Amino acid sequence: MTSSASSDAENESATPKIPVWELPDVPSGQLPPHLDLQRTRVLCNKIAPTQTEKFQYSGAYAALGVDNSLRLDEFRKNFRVEFVPPEKEANKNKKDEDDENLLEEDEKYNLEFDMIGIDASLANAFRRILIAEIPTMAIEKVLIANNTSVVQDEVLAHRLGLIPIIVDPRLFEYMSENDVPNEKNTIVFNLHVRCEKGGSRITVKSNELKWLPSGSEFLLATENSAPNATEKRKTYTSFSCSQESLPEFSDNPITVYPDITIARLGPGQEIELEAHAVKGMGKTHAKWSPVATAWYRMLPEVVLLQEVEGKKAEELVKKCPVGVFDLEDIGNDMQRATVKRPRKCTLCRECVRGNGWEEVVSLRRVKDHFIFSIESTGALPPEVLFTEAVKNLEDKCERVITELS
């Protein structure tokens, strides 16, 4: 017998053998900790995430007496939506204080909340609906009477189409190819800016767009230049009344998002045009998308597997670029590291890089807990956009049930 074989035999004899009937029982209806961690968490190692798959098969854990099927009562019990206010930064400098009003203005267009107890497919459904299937109003037709700027007509029209219009699209109807532009399906804006000769260059911004509640003022090309005095001149719209006379707009004039640069005019240059906005969806063109961005991420979970004290704790705090960790005094001039702000973790994995740090810090993601962020373009508040997305998904489910029944 060789020396390696004899050493293996000695190791086997030294290892105590435990009969199968003496192994501890796994509680019925409960997963062992390592399997429960695999089912509910994504582990983020320093090389790549692991355990990213989702176990959908209902009998995946049948041998352990655990039902993995999706049940409506369990979904209702576990699902919830929570609003988490953003953390306020301490120790603001003077520049931050000067920008505070601007940040407060931006907050009304941004919303962050937690969706707990759902699958990634459902969270992604809300994201896709927000981007592509919530209607808004956007400039579709541009009638250019004069444009002597350096911006070409088609580029100018494209830039105008991307300017958000601050109006509730639910107050308007869709316009088909056969419909006539009227006060219920069209919004008309006028833009007429001129840079005088001998003057300095000027910037044309979205504030220059003026709402025309009575419709277009440009005459149709087929109109006679000297019509009968008793006849009404025909324009590119057929408004039966002024939009200002409608109750929904009498105290709430239609405006656009301010301070967006459209073009730069040099001396002697001029832009004169009319812009007609209609109702549409983002799946037709991105200009109708009501969100600048809508995205989600799984909730970060940062766990310290052992106590980290002294200089090693200070090193861990310095390793994280977003300040997830903090130091806590434990007496005797000693400090230990704690997880202070786990939601700020961006999965850069700096804290687990280096020798031995993976045995100290565990980075995880909760598979059924999503941090959802919505940034509205300004047409509708983000909370209204999410409510409309829920209604849209509900309508889709009802249509599927109707087709199957």
Side-chain angles (χ1 to χ4, degrees), residues 250-351:
S250 57
D251 298 324
N252 188 24
I254 300 174
T255 59
V256 299
Y257 197 92
D259 207 35
I260 297 177
T261 300
I262 298 174
R264 292 269 292 171
L265 296 183
Q269 294 180 346
E270 181 181 8
I271 294 178
E272 183 182 4
L273 57 83
E274 263 189 10
H276 296 195
V278 298
K279 188 174 181 178
M281 291 187 183
K283 62 184 179 182
T284 304
H285 193 283
K287 65 184 178 184
W288 279 297
S289 181
V291 293
T293 180
W295 62 284
Y296 59 87
R297 62 189 177 104
M298 287 185 285
L299 177 72
E301 187 178 71
V302 184
V303 180
L304 294 178
L305 303 177
Q306 55 183 265
E307 293 287 339
V308 184
E309 301 176 354
K311 292 184 178 180
K312 197 170 184 179
E314 296 178 2
E315 181 184 354
L316 178 60
V317 172
K318 292 179 181 179
K319 284 171 73 72
C320 181
V322 294
V324 171
F325 303 100
D326 204 353
L327 294 175
E328 179 184 33
D329 292 326
I330 57 176
N332 299 325
D333 295 331
M334 289 291 291
Q335 292 180 319
R336 67 180 177 189
T338 59
V339 181
K340 186 72 173 179
R341 293 169 285 271
R343 288 177 67 95
K344 296 184 69 174
C345 179
T346 60
L347 197 58
C348 67
R349 292 175 285 185
E350 285 295 326
C351 59

Side-chain angles (χ1 to χ4, degrees), residues 116-403:
I116 307 168
I118 65 170
D119 188 72
S121 58
L122 189 56
N124 193 50
F126 286 123
R127 183 190 68 84
R128 292 175 63 91
I129 291 173
L130 282 167
I131 292 174
E133 299 189 40
I134 303 299
T136 61
M137 303 294 291
I139 293 173
E140 170 69 359
K141 182 187 294 185
V142 179
L143 307 176
I144 300 177
N146 188 17
N147 176 25
T148 57
S149 70
V150 296
V151 183
Q152 298 94 332
D153 290 354
E154 59 272 20
V155 177
L156 181 61
H158 184 265
R159 292 181 65 86
L160 290 169
L162 295 175
I163 296 175
I165 300 175
I166 304 175
V167 65
D168 192 342
R170 295 171 293 185
L171 302 175
F172 291 88
E173 301 173 353
Y174 288 100
M175 188 177 76
S176 66
E177 295 180 357
N178 299 324
D179 290 336
V180 176
N182 56 54
E183 69 279 2
K184 296 181 180 179
N185 59 25
T186 304
I187 303 173
V188 181
F189 295 96
N190 171 265
L191 177 65
H192 190 186
V193 183
R194 176 180 174 82
C195 182
E196 298 297 334
K197 292 183 178 180
S200 58
R201 293 172 61 87
I202 63 173
T203 301
V204 182
K205 297 201 172 186
S206 55
N207 312 58
E208 302 289 342
L209 285 168
K210 305 302 179 184
W211 173 42
L212 300 179
S214 298
S216 175
E217 296 178 348
F218 283 4
L219 299 178
L220 283 172
T222 56
E223 276 290 284
N224 191 347
S225 58
N228 192 321
T230 60
E231 293 182 0
K232 184 179 179 180
R233 308 288 293 272
K234 291 185 179 180
T235 63
Y236 286 88
T237 59
S238 298
F239 281 28
S240 59
C241 64
S242 173
Q243 289 176 331
E244 282 183 321
S245 64
L246 302 177
E248 54 266 30
F249 304 123
S250 57
D251 298 324
N252 188 24
I254 300 174
T255 59
V256 299
Y257 197 92
D259 207 35
I260 297 177
T261 300
I262 298 174
R264 292 269 292 171
L265 296 183
Q269 294 180 346
E270 181 181 8
I271 294 178
E272 183 182 4
L273 57 83
E274 263 189 10
H276 296 195
V278 298
K279 188 174 181 178
M281 291 187 183
K283 62 184 179 182
T284 304
H285 193 283
K287 65 184 178 184
W288 279 297
S289 181
V291 293
T293 180
W295 62 284
Y296 59 87
R297 62 189 177 104
M298 287 185 285
L299 177 72
E301 187 178 71
V302 184
V303 180
L304 294 178
L305 303 177
Q306 55 183 265
E307 293 287 339
V308 184
E309 301 176 354
K311 292 184 178 180
K312 197 170 184 179
E314 296 178 2
E315 181 184 354
L316 178 60
V317 172
K318 292 179 181 179
K319 284 171 73 72
C320 181
V322 294
V324 171
F325 303 100
D326 204 353
L327 294 175
E328 179 184 33
D329 292 326
I330 57 176
N332 299 325
D333 295 331
M334 289 291 291
Q335 292 180 319
R336 67 180 177 189
T338 59
V339 181
K340 186 72 173 179
R341 293 169 285 271
R343 288 177 67 95
K344 296 184 69 174
C345 179
T346 60
L347 197 58
C348 67
R349 292 175 285 185
E350 285 295 326
C351 59
V352 295
R353 290 193 171 97
N355 294 332
W357 282 106
E358 280 192 306
E359 286 74 33
V360 177
V361 182
S362 176
L363 298 180
R364 306 169 184 172
R365 289 285 191 266
V366 184
K367 290 184 179 180
D368 65 344
H369 189 147
F370 297 92
I371 301 174
F372 211 102
S373 299
I374 301 174
E375 182 181 343
S376 171
T377 59
L380 289 173
E383 57 271 16
V384 175
L385 291 177
F386 182 70
T387 303
E388 291 297 312
V390 173
K391 293 178 181 178
N392 188 295
L393 185 60
E394 183 181 3
D395 292 340
K396 290 176 181 288
C397 295
E398 289 179 354
R399 287 200 298 270
V400 171
I401 294 173
T402 301
E403 291 295 329

